[in-house]
Amino acid sequence: MKRLQWPRRMPVDPYIVLLLGTVGLAALLPARGAAGQVASGASTAAIAFLFFLYGARLSTREAVAGLKHWRLHVTVLACTFVLFPLLGIAARGLVPVVLTHDLYTGLLFLTLVPSTIQSSIAFTSIARGNVPAAICAGSFSSLAGIVITPLLAAALLGNSGGGFSLDSLVKIVLQLLVPFLAGQVLRHWIGGFITRHRKVLGLVDRGSILLVVYTAFSEGMVQGIWHQVSPLRLGVLLGVEAAILAVMLVLTWYGGRALGFDREDRIAIQFAGSKKSLASGLPMASVLFGAHASLAVLPLMLFHQMQLMVCAVIAKRRSHDPRPAVSPGSAAGSRTSVGTGTRSG
């Protein structure tokens, strides 16, 4: 009998350690008064620059070519913005016995945010899936989420979303979509520079998110909302999120097979359709929830680490699947691979 072996190295993203350290810093030294206003303004500018870089990196030709695989992209969008929210709505029955109202609000918000880009691509590449499809699916989801997420939040969260209004949608569009489009416009001139300095600019990506986390959790500390969460409640929240992730992983894999997608496409659907973006969710939460953003994004931060760990194991196992026979000149044979680092997305 084959012995069960634990992975030698658990797939814990070191970036999560930095995120937790940032939360700890905000707890010990929260930005108050004028310093809080400066931190808020800096985080807004940092996120705008982050989405500018996203726009400058995305090849317009690649995005247009990806539109040809519209069935896969519609499937991923349906998983992200239909199936996930339905699970979030179903979890309402856990309030107030299992989850507090505030934690449920954060959990529901988690189900509304777009899919990831970088980590979906990385895991799809490790598992030998359709990488170009994962690139386009993640990008389309992020763009659609700029509009769909706040609209879903208005419909499902109501006043719990910090008083959603047309002004909130305008702020999100100005902070995320406009910089992204500006990056696309300037890509012709700065695309080469972005490619050559990808690693350095990747630090800007992560630094921007850390700044947003610090600002959000500082506001939460100043408002004193962290007294509402107990370790037991956090443990229960993790269990609920684990159940949601498991359901989505099963639905995306076997649902893709029922819809007639091949193995490579099903891998892209599973990783792009079962994951949620920390990079997109944080700035949206800061606009929608204001001072309560720290408690609202806590479920998203926990889910982000959980999805990285689980999907890393799945991707590794999928990488050992027998290679299907590929005929010369087939689409599968032309699919390219990318780097396999699990950056946050």
Side-chain angles (χ1 to χ4, degrees):
M1 179 181 295
K2 184 178 179 180
R3 293 183 61 188
L4 178 64
Q5 294 182 348
W6 291 98
R8 293 182 180 178
R9 182 173 179 267
M10 290 300 292
V12 178
D13 189 347
Y15 186 58
I16 295 298
V17 178
L18 291 177
L19 283 172
L20 295 176
T22 302
V23 172
L25 178 63
L28 296 174
L29 298 171
R32 303 173 181 270
Q37 294 179 358
V38 171
S40 178
S43 66
T44 299
I47 288 298
F49 184 58
L50 174 65
F51 274 77
F52 172 80
L53 292 178
Y54 284 167
R57 287 172 184 160
L58 178 63
S59 169
T60 305
R61 182 189 310 171
E62 198 170 54
V64 172
L67 289 173
K68 298 177 181 178
H69 211 352
W70 63 269
R71 286 184 64 247
L72 184 147
H73 303 314
V74 169
T75 301
V76 171
L77 290 175
C79 292
T80 303
F81 298 116
V82 178
L83 294 182
F84 254 117
L86 287 176
L87 292 176
I89 293 172
R92 191 186 301 273
L94 301 176
V95 180
V97 177
V98 178
L99 296 174
T100 64
H101 177 75
D102 289 333
L103 286 180
Y104 171 71
T105 298
L107 179 70
L108 182 56
F109 174 72
L110 149 71
T111 66
L112 308 181
V113 303
S115 177
T116 63
I117 300 178
Q118 293 98 330
S119 53
S120 293
I121 296 169
F123 290 134
T124 300
S125 176
I126 293 172
R128 295 186 287 109
N130 188 341
V131 174
I135 294 172
C136 294
S139 301
F140 295 156
S141 176
S142 294
L143 286 175
I146 293 174
V147 176
I148 295 177
T149 297
L151 291 179
L152 286 175
L156 300 178
L157 293 174
N159 292 332
S160 299
F164 177 86
S165 63
L166 180 61
D167 182 58
S168 299
L169 177 60
V170 171
K171 285 182 179 179
I172 290 174
V173 169
L174 290 177
Q175 188 176 354
L176 306 183
L177 182 58
V178 172
F180 181 91
L181 295 177
Q184 278 283 285
V185 171
L186 297 177
R187 174 179 167 77
H188 176 73
W189 294 278
I190 66 174
F193 177 85
I194 296 292
T195 301
R196 290 192 300 271
H197 299 84
R198 182 177 297 273
K199 290 185 177 180
V200 175
L201 293 175
L203 298 177
V204 176
D205 283 4
R206 298 186 168 207
S208 299
I209 297 173
L210 291 175
L211 182 57
V212 174
V213 169
Y214 175 74
T215 302
F217 278 82
S218 289
E219 292 177 351
M221 290 300 300
V222 172
Q223 295 293 326
I225 65 174
W226 279 102
H227 298 294
Q228 306 171 23
V229 185
S230 67
L232 177 60
R233 291 288 189 182
L234 289 179
V236 171
L237 176 63
L238 279 172
V240 174
E241 291 188 341
I244 291 177
L245 178 60
V247 169
M248 288 306 302
L249 287 170
V250 170
L251 289 178
T252 50
W253 183 251
Y254 292 102
R257 183 170 67 180
L259 292 173
F261 289 101
D262 62 20
R263 176 190 175 278
E264 288 79 9
D265 288 345
R266 289 167 64 197
I267 288 173
I269 291 171
Q270 184 175 54
F271 290 127
S274 66
K275 300 170 74 248
K276 292 295 183 175
S277 173
L278 191 65
S280 296
L282 285 176
M284 292 181 185
S286 66
V287 173
L288 295 174
F289 294 95
H292 295 275
S294 59
L295 196 57
V297 301
L298 178 62
L300 178 59
M301 291 181 61
L302 295 175
F303 189 84
H304 179 264
Q305 171 60 11
M306 185 185 299
Q307 71 185 12
L308 287 180
M309 295 177 68
V310 174
C311 289
V313 174
I314 293 175
K316 190 65 175 177
R317 292 180 66 89
R318 296 253 186 268
S319 69
H320 298 304
D321 290 347
R323 292 182 178 271
V326 179
S327 59
S330 68
S334 62
R335 288 167 183 163
T336 56
S337 174
V338 297
T340 58
T342 55
R343 299 174 56 200
S344 74

